[in-house]
Structure formats: structure tokens, C-alpha cells
Amino acid sequence: MSRLPSPDLARVSGDLEILASYRDPEAPGWTRRVFSGFDRAGREWVAARMQEAGLRVETDAAANLIGRLPGTGGLPGAIVTGSHTDTVHGGGRFDGIIGVLGAIEAVRCLRAAEVELEHDLVVVDFLGEEPNDFGLSCVGSRAISGALDEGHLALLGPDGRSLSEALAAAGGVPSALGGARWPEGLHCYVELHIEQGPVLEQARVPIGVVTGIAGIHRLRARFEGRPDHAGTTPMSLRRDALSGAAELALAIERLAQGGVATTGRLEIRPGAHNVVPGEADLWAEARSPDAQWLDSFGRAVADEFDGIGARRQLGTTLTWISREPPVTVTDWVADSIDQAATSLGNRVLRIPSGAGHDASHMARLGPMGMVFVPSRAGRSHCPEEWTDLEDIGRGIAVLVQALVVCDHRKEERSRGRRSGLDD
Ligand SMILES: [Zn+2]
């Protein structure tokens, strides 16, 4: 395989710095939340960079920014790469961003080497990957994969505005969302992203080849006891809802062996110093790339919950808020990334992704794979989020090479789609 020009690190660093300057100065870190003017201005700057790199740029009905480089083969499915440029409140400068700026740099590298792919190459800056005020994430990639529905559009934000209205203000056309859906399949989707965890850094390996994206099961557990006087009610006669919830939180921690599980929120009522808590609501989630583990975890939590309720004479209601299945990475795409990385002299580690990504939704449309680069101390979604420029450069070089390898994988075309969401 011929060597392609290396990414221009000074140019990449300059791009990162400029995009980071589109931030809310009133908020901590590098805040550029979807539907804000900062996000809109940042994406206009990204669109100009796409154009400069030689991409034909358009914005679809879901306000996704899409740049296309036509292939020479007139082939039906495109090779798609990209990520998102919105951040969480108080977020960092790398999550999602290196996948978009890296994809643009990849196009520059290919063009500089006069390497033409047979497939169209499509670069996407997906709208709003991070959770927004409407409680939804991955707005743009959901729309492209046909999973953004009327119910989502009707979701209301804290100011009473609907997601549909916010989308229109961001340059989308909610009434034409059907047109944002890509009816044709993809040749493949490859996303470069920071790991957002400590595994690569601890292993001192520069490139992660993602094996799958964790499924997420979220629950709410409600205990109902009796609010009694904290001074006059003997311990043996209490029905303390908070003590039940505390026991369940510890059980969830214990049952998380083999995956991860978190109790992230707890509300008690009436919530007074001198009253035994009469009601407690606990919100928890579990994540794993293993669907069976998630199911058995769910059963074990439900058993513990019933047991605690019976022992403490508490009423119990368990609600599964969502059960997102794990997403399978397509073997031939992962192998192509692996081959690209090792051909460039990189050590590679195969790792699952504990975080959700636009790739989870793109997997509905066709073969999918992801490249990870290390996150310092595993930090992400915070101002301290950091990835060394050299690591970003290595990731982009692997992306360029992987796009070329995937372009050559023509025999895979007839094998159809593979995705965990379809299983
Ligand atoms: Zn991200």
C-alpha cells in the first residue's frame, strides 16, 4: 500500500484552536451546546473548511452539515466519516471535534496525494450528538438513520419551545425530515473519536479499534414507605424509603461486576431533617457491550429490589426508562482499521466503547467501525479533556489509510448490512 501524506499537525492544531474559540464565554470550559448561536457559528466555520478542502457542502433537513467528494466508480454506497462539533455544558475541545476536523484533514491528505476513491466520500458534522435541553442525544444521526420521529420533535425544552422549533431555528426543516433519511445503504461508516476513558493511555497504545458500543439500560426505582416523626417513631416500626433506596444503590454497585452500573440520582420526600423519608426515587443505569450481561443484571436488580421492599415493608415500582441494545461493529470494517493502523507501525488495542456515539445510529444503515485515540487520564465532558496532538495526528493518519482500505473492500458490498440494532 502506498504511503499517503501525513496529516499537517500545525494545520490541525490551528483548526482545533479556532473551533474552540466558538464557545459560550458565560459558561465553563469550552461550551458550545447544540441550538446555541455558538454552535451555529462554529458549524458555519466548519462548512467553510469543508468547502476549502474540496467537498461539495449541503445542510439537510435535520441541519446536518454534509460534505461530499464524488468517487470515480459511480458506486451506490458512500464511505462516510465524521462526528459532531457540539459539546456538553462545561465540555472540552476534542470529543466529537477531532472526528469532524480529522475527516476534513483526511480529505486534504487524499487530495494532496491525488488519491481518488471509487466510492463517494461523505464527511458529516452531525447535529447535536450530546444530550440537549429536550433530553435527546444524536439528533442528526437519528434523522439520517430514520430514527427521529414525531414524538421526538414534540419534546419540550425548559423554555416551552419544542425540539421541532429549535431544529428549524438551527437551519433544519422539520416538515421535510423524511428527506434527511438516507434511503440507500452505506458502503461503510468510520468514525474517529477520543476514547473518553483511560484504557489506551494505561496500556500505552496509541490506537483503539472499537469492538462494539455498549448498550445502556436505564431504570427508575420507587420505594414508598411512611413519613413519620423522626423523634417519636421507634426504629423497629419505621418504613424508611431512603434506607431501602440506599440498600438498592449498594446492591447495584455490587451487581455491576463484569460491566458498569451507576446510581446517578436520588430524590427523597418529604426531604425534611426531622421526618422519616416516606418516598424515594432512584435513577440508575447499566452499560455493557454484552446484551446477555445487561439482561441478567436487570433481572438481578429487580430481584434485589423486590427483596428489599418485602423486608422493609416498602411499596416498590420498577420502571425501565430505556433499553438501548449494544451495537455491533462490523468485522471487516474493524479489520480494515486494524490493518490500516498496523501498516502505519501503530500498536493497536481492540476495546469496546462505553459511551454512545453517532456511529450507533449510522450502524442501522450499514457496516460501521470506530477508531479511538487516547484521552489523558480518561477525562472527558470536562474542560480538562485532552488528547496530545501527536495522538490526534496518528488517529487521522489511520483514518485516511482506513478509508482507502475500506474503498478496496468491494467484495463486501453484496453481503448486506450488519448492525447490532438489527439483530
Ligand atoms: Zn462524542
Side-chain angles (χ1 to χ4, degrees):
M1 190 183 307
S2 64
R3 283 223 165 204
L4 294 157
S6 311
D8 180 334
L9 290 190
R11 186 165 58 190
V12 172
S13 161
D15 283 352
L16 281 166
E17 208 169 299
I18 295 171
L19 188 51
S21 71
Y22 291 92
R23 56 180 272 267
D24 181 351
E26 311 280 302
W30 281 267
T31 300
R32 187 171 51 253
R33 296 198 69 204
V34 65
F35 304 128
S36 69
F38 309 105
D39 187 45
R40 193 155 185 188
R43 286 155 61 80
E44 277 168 21
W45 178 83
V46 170
R49 298 293 78 69
M50 283 184 174
Q51 230 143 20
E52 242 174 38
L55 295 164
R56 236 174 36 216
V57 182
E58 56 166 357
T59 304
D60 71 4
N64 289 305
L65 199 53
I66 301 171
R68 185 178 290 264
L69 189 68
T72 56
L75 302 172
I79 296 178
V80 184
T81 182
S83 195
H84 60 97
T85 54
D86 66 315
T87 73
V88 296
H89 177 84
R93 288 160 286 177
F94 304 92
D95 171 7
I97 293 155
I98 68 155
V100 175
L101 296 181
I104 295 171
E105 181 64 17
V107 171
R108 294 171 183 147
C109 288
L110 288 170
R111 296 197 70 215
E114 296 181 356
V115 172
E116 292 185 308
L117 302 185
E118 284 194 74
H119 297 85
D120 284 10
L121 177 60
V122 174
V123 175
V124 188
D125 179 0
F126 295 100
L127 183 84
E129 190 269 354
E130 301 292 0
N132 54 38
D133 288 342
F134 307 91
L136 193 71
S137 59
C138 298
V139 175
S141 48
R142 273 178 210 272
I144 282 179
S145 63
L148 189 68
D149 59 33
E150 292 296 327
H152 293 137
L153 289 176
L155 289 169
L156 296 179
D159 59 356
R161 195 167 69 139
S162 69
L163 175 60
S164 178
E165 289 169 280
L167 190 56
V173 187
S175 60
L177 265 187
R181 186 175 188 279
W182 291 4
E184 83 279 18
L186 316 171
H187 180 59
C188 65
Y189 176 76
V190 183
E191 181 170 344
L192 170 65
H193 205 281
I194 57 169
E195 182 200 337
Q196 303 181 276
V199 175
L200 290 175
E201 185 186 63
Q202 283 185 1
R204 296 176 187 276
V205 172
I207 297 291
V209 176
V210 176
T211 52
I213 300 177
I216 309 177
H217 288 194
R218 293 198 163 118
L219 66 88
R220 187 177 79 187
R222 168 167 293 182
F223 286 100
E224 282 167 273
R226 205 176 57 205
D228 281 316
H229 195 291
T232 60
T233 315
M235 297 309 286
S236 62
L237 296 181
R238 294 182 180 206
R239 292 169 58 211
D240 184 333
L242 172 60
S243 297
E247 231 186 281
L248 183 63
L250 292 174
I252 285 170
E253 185 185 50
R254 175 166 41 80
L255 293 169
Q257 298 296 327
V260 291
T262 309
T263 298
R265 182 176 163 198
L266 191 61
E267 276 181 13
I268 58 170
R269 284 172 299 277
H273 221 139
N274 58 354
V275 184
V276 175
E279 276 182 2
D281 280 314
L282 173 154
W283 284 261
E285 59 152 58
R287 300 186 188 215
S288 169
D290 179 348
Q292 271 180 345
W293 183 87
L294 283 170
D295 288 341
S296 61
F297 173 85
R299 281 193 299 274
V301 168
D303 286 348
E304 286 281 342
F305 185 50
D306 289 345
I308 295 165
R311 224 170 35 247
R312 291 180 169 273
Q313 293 183 286
L314 301 170
T316 54
T317 316
L318 183 64
T319 311
W320 289 98
I321 297 166
S322 62
R323 294 186 197 228
E324 296 276 355
V327 179
T328 312
V329 160
T330 313
D331 288 342
W332 73 259
V333 183
D335 292 344
S336 300
I337 295 168
D338 204 312
Q339 184 189 329
T342 44
S343 78
L344 294 171
N346 296 294
R347 285 175 63 217
V348 161
L349 198 63
R350 297 232 174 191
I351 50 171
S353 171
H357 297 288
D358 290 307
S360 312
H361 296 278
M362 294 305 284
R364 287 197 193 90
L365 294 174
M368 177 277 283
M370 291 189 80
V371 188
F372 274 178
V373 287
S375 295
R376 182 187 287 171
R379 304 291 307 278
S380 183
H381 285 186
C382 57
E384 294 79 12
E385 180 180 278
W386 183 262
T387 298
D388 286 334
L389 188 59
E390 290 69 26
D391 284 331
I392 296 171
R394 267 189 279 271
I396 298 172
V398 170
L399 177 65
V400 178
Q401 202 76 18
L403 297 175
V404 173
V405 175
C406 287
D407 190 46
H408 292 154
R409 293 264 186 160
K410 294 182 201 72
E411 74 279 11
E412 307 293 347
R413 222 175 279 144
S414 55
R415 291 194 199 166
R417 300 164 182 186
R418 278 199 57 209
S419 124
L421 293 175
D422 297 327
D423 287 344

